Amino acid sequence: MIPDLVVNYSEIAYIGIQDPSDPVDENRKNVVAQTAIADERVRAILLDGGMIEGVLLQCHPTPKDSGGSACALALRVLHQGSNWDFLVDEKSGEVIFIQREVLPGRI
């Protein structure tokens, strides 16, 4: 079991462009961050030196004929030359997808 972390949620920024039809207020941003940080994978990365960059709207690749939205709010954590985006399903309160992007020059 990974220990809990002390996080100042008011310091977590919303990064990227807001969708005017589905705005993200402070409460919603905090819920997404809290949900992601409750996930053991996120806590493990943070305890290993990861840094929270912020919350953003992230889209992940989906198969050609799949239905449904491929976008969700995510907590972005920077760790060892990679962006880790933990996409959150706000209804279920769970991390539903993890997307990792290796930053240029780190391969």
Side-chain angles (χ1 to χ4, degrees):
M1 178 147 212
I2 296 174
D4 290 333
L5 299 169
V6 176
V7 176
N8 184 347
Y9 291 95
S10 66
E11 291 183 1
I12 297 175
Y14 183 85
I15 54 179
I17 298 171
Q18 291 255 11
D19 178 353
S21 67
D22 192 21
V24 179
D25 62 15
E26 188 71 13
N27 184 57
R28 188 172 175 205
K29 176 197 62 117
N30 291 345
V31 167
V32 168
Q34 289 168 351
T35 300
I37 292 169
D39 188 289
E40 284 193 12
R41 298 166 291 187
V42 176
R43 291 196 314 272
I45 289 174
L46 292 173
L47 288 169
D48 190 44
M51 301 292 295
I52 296 171
E53 183 177 357
V55 171
L56 71 157
L57 180 64
Q58 181 59 277
C59 299
H60 61 86
T62 58
K64 181 180 174 184
D65 295 326
S66 67
S69 174
C71 299
L73 290 175
L75 180 73
R76 175 168 285 173
V77 177
L78 305 176
H79 183 252
Q80 297 181 351
S82 295
N83 288 334
W84 292 85
D85 295 338
F86 295 88
L87 284 73
V88 170
D89 179 334
E90 295 176 75
K91 290 180 184 174
S92 70
E94 297 178 357
V95 171
I96 56 170
F97 191 84
I98 301 169
Q99 183 167 310
R100 178 180 176 220
E101 173 190 14
V102 178
L103 299 173
R106 297 300 216 150
I107 297 178

